[in-house]
Amino acid sequence: MTSIVVVGAGIVGLCSALHLLERGCEVAVIDNDPAGQAASWGNAGHVAVEQVEPLASPAMLRSAPGRLFMRGGALALPPRALPTWLPFALRLVAASRPASFAAGQEALAALLRHALPEWEDMLHMAGSPDLLRQEGHFVLWQDAAAARAGQAAWANAATGKASVHPADTDELARLAALCRVPVAGAVRFDGTAQIADLPALRLALREAVLARNGRLVDGTATLRISRGRAEVDGMADHQVLICAGVRSAALMRQAGHRVPIIAERGYHIRSTDHDWPEDMPPVVFEQRSMIVTRYRTALQAASFVELQQPDAPADARKWQRLERHVAELGLPMRGPFHRWIGSRPTFPDYLPAIGRSARIGNLHYAFGHQHLGLTLAPVTARAVAAMIMDEPPAVSLAPFDLERFA
Ligand SMILES: Cc1cc2nc3c(=O)[nH]c(=O)nc-3n(C[C@H](O)[C@H](O)[C@H](O)COP(=O)(O)OP(=O)(O)OC[C@H]3O[C@@H](n4cnc5c(N)ncnc54)[C@H](O)[C@@H]3O)c2cc1C
């Protein structure tokens, strides 16, 4: 029997563990987040199959100055963190060349094509199909010029298996009822989805692992390379799979890999005191770079891309700004707000790292899913399990090899 130790019980690690257990492997998952504070459990819950265009793009570079935090936008480049983000930004510029962008889009689209059916399968395995809500999502604008430009941009964008159309009169009326400010325009996406509740998802996946005799171990894993093999916490003769989000870099460096990942930190506020309709899918307020998601137990507003060290203190101005957005838009959401910060694990080309180490035979990895980790976890998990078990892959993993940074 193949024995595997998975480092990290975020969404990628838990989904991977389940696929490996389904193939008859013996699996132990080690994780040091008992309270469920990782990015996987505080994100916007959006199964974003429309996002086939990598964020490393000529358009993103052009729009970056207008998106800076100091100009009211969501992109934060803290001056003190310059040594952290400058090398990342330079690599991002290189990855945004048209040829790299086109290759990245093809690679991402190949994964995203399977993302929704894989979510259906995953939740079937976890016995919780009701956690997937396939009701699309909205993007809206308050200003007429921004609405025209935004609608035209989405109409011309690649959106994979999702489709987009201008919101109809009824939909506009539903959106207008949410805000005190006028809604100038909106688009509706079909073919995208939402996870109904993140803590419930975490619980369902953990229980599904335990029900298949997988082990969940509390603790911080350390990786040692000994005689050309990877060993986690003295577990010799195991295959090793690193799914530790932004912390994967430190582990993979033990094996001699270059891992130019950064923490793209996002913030959210949540409230249980709200009047958001139960059947409203996620709504993106594009001019505020904010997404509002109704979970079963709370309403959440999330935003910001702060390039930082993962452990730097949170910047309270970001939560204050989210509260201001909510107040200025007049959204039906009242404090006290629960505040959260989490790190998207992001490479400069906005592609994940999924593969088998070219240096250490029993070392495998799946991390770096940037803004799409929730969306891509089940498709990644199936691909990783197939790779470890030497089955033919459903998706080519070549574009996601870490050696691209060697
Ligand atoms: C504000 C925000 C909104 C987002 N919205 C969306 C969205 O709507 N849709 C979407 O698809 N994605 C979204 N994302 C991105 C998504 O949340 C991440 O890409 C995803 O959660 C990454 O999952 P992961 O399992 O790789 O990492 P993580 O969730 O970070 O999990 C890694 C786990 O490994 C553990 N760990 C690390 N090191 C060790 C160690 N040495 N030993 C033991 N355990 C260890 C950590 O404690 C953690 O539990 C969002 C992210 C943010 C911040």
Side-chain angles (χ1 to χ4, degrees):
M1 183 191 282
T2 308
S3 299
I4 300 174
V5 53
V6 179
V7 179
I11 188 67
V12 177
L14 286 178
C15 290
S16 301
L18 262 178
H19 267 293
L20 288 162
L21 287 163
E22 284 286 299
R23 284 167 171 74
C25 301
E26 181 191 62
V27 180
V29 189
I30 307 183
D31 186 77
N32 59 5
D33 177 32
Q37 289 302 299
S40 295
W41 320 118
N43 60 60
H46 173 41
V47 181
V49 301
E50 83 284 5
Q51 291 182 21
V52 297
E53 296 189 352
L55 285 170
S57 69
M60 202 278 280
L61 291 184
R62 278 194 302 275
S63 68
R67 291 181 186 268
L68 286 170
F69 180 69
M70 59 186 165
R71 295 183 160 185
L75 174 62
L77 303 172
R80 284 203 191 142
L82 184 126
T84 300
W85 57 255
L86 187 60
F88 175 88
L90 294 174
R91 286 197 181 95
L92 190 159
V93 171
S96 301
R97 286 189 304 253
S100 312
F101 171 71
Q105 180 171 325
E106 196 181 324
L108 214 45
L111 284 182
L112 284 166
R113 197 170 298 138
H114 303 281
L116 204 45
E118 288 292 354
W119 259 115
E120 287 169 353
D121 270 20
M122 178 55 59
L123 289 174
H124 179 71
M125 259 193 268
S128 301
D130 54 323
L131 283 174
L132 187 66
R133 293 179 54 170
Q134 301 198 41
E135 291 153 12
H137 72 283
F138 288 106
V139 177
L140 75 71
W141 297 268
Q142 293 92 55
D143 170 90
R148 273 193 304 278
Q151 289 183 345
W154 274 118
N156 291 319
T159 55
K161 290 182 83 175
S163 61
V164 57
H165 59 82
D168 64 26
T169 316
D170 285 354
E171 290 167 337
L172 281 172
R174 284 181 71 204
L175 292 168
L178 297 174
C179 323
R180 263 204 315 268
V181 298
V183 173
V187 290
R188 167 119 200 190
F189 284 79
D190 291 318
T192 61
Q194 185 205 329
I195 295 298
D197 195 62
L198 293 174
L201 173 69
R202 179 171 182 260
L203 192 65
L205 293 174
R206 290 173 71 89
E207 283 179 352
V209 167
L210 295 174
R212 287 163 178 77
N213 294 325
R215 283 199 302 136
L216 295 172
V217 182
D218 276 340
T220 299
T222 51
L223 184 81
R224 210 167 69 96
I225 305 299
S226 165
R227 296 201 201 100
R229 284 184 65 81
E231 198 179 298
V232 168
D233 297 354
M235 285 190 238
D237 300 328
H238 278 60
Q239 301 292 314
V240 174
L241 173 61
I242 303 296
C243 302
V246 76
R247 313 280 176 181
S248 304
L251 295 164
M252 294 302 293
R253 282 185 196 125
Q254 301 291 319
H257 285 282
R258 286 188 72 194
V259 190
I261 203 168
I262 201 164
E264 267 196 313
R265 304 199 310 176
Y267 291 66
H268 83 214
I269 55 172
R270 271 188 191 171
S271 170
T272 51
D273 184 5
H274 68 85
D275 304 310
W276 199 264
E278 203 177 327
D279 59 352
M280 178 60 77
V283 180
V284 178
F285 294 84
E286 191 148 284
Q287 288 174 268
R288 309 243 172 190
S289 302
M290 180 173 83
I291 176 166
V292 176
T293 312
R294 189 199 200 282
Y295 288 118
R296 281 184 186 156
T297 46
L299 185 67
Q300 173 181 298
S303 183
F304 299 112
V305 170
E306 181 188 70
L307 302 186
Q308 245 303 6
Q309 293 286 341
D311 294 321
D315 177 354
R317 292 175 304 167
K318 290 173 182 137
W319 288 310
Q320 287 155 8
R321 185 163 311 160
L322 278 170
E323 290 178 22
R324 204 164 67 234
H325 286 328
V326 166
E328 286 172 1
L329 290 164
L331 303 184
M333 178 183 190
R334 295 162 290 276
F337 296 106
H338 174 266
R339 294 174 161 190
W340 175 91
I341 178 171
S343 294
R344 302 176 190 89
T346 300
F347 284 103
D349 56 5
Y350 283 80
L351 297 181
I354 311 170
R356 189 192 302 268
S357 166
R359 289 147 204 262
I360 305 292
N362 67 327
L363 179 62
H364 314 267
Y365 52 85
F367 62 94
H369 290 74
Q370 39 105 0
H371 297 233
L372 294 173
L374 182 77
T375 305
L376 292 175
V379 66
T380 298
R382 185 186 295 279
V384 153
M387 176 187 67
I388 293 176
M389 301 307 285
D390 291 323
E391 295 167 8
V395 192
S396 165
L397 294 180
F400 311 114
D401 197 313
L402 254 186
E403 291 301 305
R404 68 190 192 270
F405 301 113

